[in-house]
């Protein structure tokens, strides 16, 4: 009888010991699980690119990826310098991050130049094919996919005669070294020709040249149109100040720039753009190959915004029709935002 009790106790002890091992092993396994490491590189800081970055992070957070536990972001800013973008890309490769998020065309080009294996999710890249990032929109043919911020440039230029029916000369400032800008300027040229407008181009190579470029257009143009050029947008206050002093209407491709003092924009909500790139990243996390995911662009009108700054209109001395005001998704008046 005692022997039977001893055997029973022994078996229970062994069973309990085994359970403890399983529990401890499980805890150890969870504790040892490494968070996903995502390297985020953007060419420069300005509201549109920052919103795209924040939208990406929000998409992963909504999917259950808690920052610091399930995912770690290595946020890097190239300060408008392609050489810095290359160094950042090399850092990500050396660190063996799980994914690279490249915000804007130059950082995407740098990331792909340095790395051919780690998945790259692009964000705010206008034309990935023209920028030699992808073989086609349907398939990059490499380790890259993501979202384009191809703007409705034609509709943006068409805003000019709506605000200024008598306009004849339109100025634009851009960095000819940015492939995304060159593509948009071509559309602007064609649209200006259709509308009977004369487009005067001024190019810059860095943000410090933007003020002088804007000043060179003063007295020569009725309006200035700025595409989603990262060099110019990062120094947009220089253009805004010149336009306000010289009573020039400033139409921009990036809606967030209207908050900064531009007159109007019809363009992409960059936070929504970022969220959509995050949704693409989630597919890759689940095992999809970047080359199997088509590069996408914003097509839903709800992700486009028509924004008008009535305070700016007052400063430059133009009246905005009631028709335009009613059509706007967002109005800025007396320093307050209406319509959000």
């Amino acid at each position: 009888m005692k022997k039977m009790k001893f055997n029973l106790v022994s078996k229970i002890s062994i069973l309990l010991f085994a359970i403890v091992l399983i529990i401890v092993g499980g805890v150890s396994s969870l504790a040892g699980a490494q968070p996903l490491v995502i390297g985020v590189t953007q060419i420069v800081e300005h509201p549109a690119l920052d919103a795209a970055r924040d939208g990406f992070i929000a998409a992963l957070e909504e999917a259950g990826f808690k920052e610091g536990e399930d995912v770690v972001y290595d946020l890097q800013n190239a300060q408008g310098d392609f050489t810095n973008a290359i160094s950042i890309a090399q850092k990500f490769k050396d660190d063996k991050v799980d994914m690279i998020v490249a915000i804007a065309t130059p950082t995407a080009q740098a990331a792909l130049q340095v790395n051919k294996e780690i998945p790259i999710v692009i964000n705010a890249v206008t034309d990935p094919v023209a920028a030699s990032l992808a073989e086609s929109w349907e398939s990059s043919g490499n380790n890259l996919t993501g979202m384009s911020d191809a703007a409705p440039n034609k509709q943006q230029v068409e805003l000019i005669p709506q605000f200024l029916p008598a306009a004849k000369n339109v100025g634009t400032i851009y960095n000819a070294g940015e492939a995304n800008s060159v593509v948009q300027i071509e559309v602007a040229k064609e649209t200006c020709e259709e509308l009977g407008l004369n487009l005067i181009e001024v190019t810059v190579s860095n943000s410090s040249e933007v003020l002088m470029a804007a000043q060179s257009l003063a007295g020569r143009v009725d309006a200035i149109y700025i595409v989603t050029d990262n060099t110019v947008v990062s120094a947009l206050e220089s253009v805004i100040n010149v336009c306000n002093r010289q009573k020039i209407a400033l139409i921009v491709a990036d809606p967030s720039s209207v908050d900064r003092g531009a007159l109007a924009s019809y363009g992409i909500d960059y936070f929504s753009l970022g969220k959509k790139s995050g949704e693409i990243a989630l597919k890759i996390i689940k095992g999809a190959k970047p080359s199997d995911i088509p590069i996408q662009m914003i097509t839903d009108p709800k992700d486009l915004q028509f924004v008008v700054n009535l305070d700016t209109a007052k400063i430059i001395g133009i009246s905005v029709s009631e028709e335009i005001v009613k059509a706007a998704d967002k109005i800025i008046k007396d320093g307050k935002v209406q319509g959000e």
Side-chain angles (χ1 to χ4, degrees), residues 234-266:
S234 66
L236 193 68
E237 278 70 24
S238 298
V239 184
I240 292 169
N241 290 336
V242 170
C243 286
N244 287 347
R245 287 198 305 271
Q246 300 296 326
K247 312 299 183 185
I248 300 170
L250 177 60
I251 305 296
V252 291
D254 167 30
S256 66
S257 294
V258 180
D259 296 357
R260 298 164 72 182
L263 175 62
S265 175
Y266 176 67

Side-chain angles (χ1 to χ4, degrees), residues 5-147:
K5 286 183 179 180
F6 176 77
N7 289 338
L8 180 60
V9 170
S10 298
K11 289 179 180 179
I12 292 173
S13 299
I14 292 170
L15 179 61
L16 288 173
F17 182 68
I19 292 172
V20 169
L21 285 177
I22 291 171
I23 293 173
V24 172
V27 171
S28 298
S29 177
L30 289 172
Q34 296 297 313
L36 195 69
V37 179
I38 298 179
V40 181
T41 173
Q42 64 186 72
I43 189 61
V44 71
E45 285 187 337
H46 63 65
L49 299 189
D50 294 348
R53 177 199 63 214
D54 294 343
F56 178 91
I57 293 173
L60 264 65
E61 185 176 356
E62 289 177 10
F65 286 84
K66 188 172 182 180
E67 188 172 352
E69 294 182 11
D70 307 299
V71 60
V72 173
Y73 299 102
D74 184 353
L75 306 178
Q76 299 289 332
N77 174 10
Q79 304 291 342
D81 190 321
F82 186 73
T83 302
N84 290 343
I86 288 288
S87 298
I88 291 168
Q90 187 62 54
K91 175 186 183 300
F92 289 162
K93 182 178 180 180
D94 294 341
D95 291 346
K96 298 180 180 179
V97 299
D98 298 296
M99 179 182 292
I100 295 173
V101 176
I103 303 175
T105 301
T107 44
Q109 291 171 323
L112 187 63
Q113 180 177 320
V114 170
N115 158 67
K116 306 295 184 183
E117 296 178 358
I118 299 171
I120 300 170
V121 177
I122 60 172
N123 197 345
V125 170
T126 302
D127 190 332
V129 177
S132 301
L133 292 168
E135 293 176 0
S136 71
W137 289 79
E138 291 72 28
S139 175
S140 63
N142 52 40
N143 55 318
L144 177 149
T145 188
M147 290 297 302

